[in-house]
Amino acid sequence: MPIIRVTMAAGRTSQQKKAAALEITDTLVKHCGAHAEHVYVVFDDIPPDDWTVGGETITERKANRGET
C-alpha cells in the first residue's frame, strides 16, 4: 500500500491535484507493480505565508519577482 505525500504551497485547484494524483498513481502502477486501488496520494497544502526559503516567505518571493 504505497502512500505518497505531496507537500506544496497552497493554490492548486482540485482538478490540478486530481490530475497529479492520477499521474502519480499511474507511475506507481507502471513502474512498481502497485495496484491503483491501493495507492494513496495525500496533498499537504501549506499556506504561502507559512513556507519560507532563505528567510523569505513564498508570498514575499513571488512579490519580489513580480509574480502574482
Side-chain angles (χ1 to χ4, degrees):
M1 168 175 76
I3 300 171
I4 295 81
R5 296 189 76 96
V6 179
T7 304
M8 59 186 173
R12 276 54 172 220
T13 66
S14 295
Q15 294 84 3
Q16 288 172 313
K17 290 189 267 186
K18 181 175 180 173
L22 287 171
E23 290 285 337
I24 292 165
T25 299
D26 289 347
T27 297
L28 286 174
V29 168
K30 179 179 178 183
H31 296 289
C32 299
H35 296 280
E37 62 271 14
H38 296 146
V39 176
Y40 292 79
V41 180
V42 179
F43 291 96
D44 294 319
D45 292 332
I46 309 298
D49 287 335
D50 292 343
W51 190 323
T52 64
V53 179
E56 282 185 312
T57 67
I58 290 177
T59 302
E60 292 167 332
R61 288 172 63 89
K62 284 184 169 185
N64 289 338
R65 293 179 179 166
E67 300 174 21
T68 57

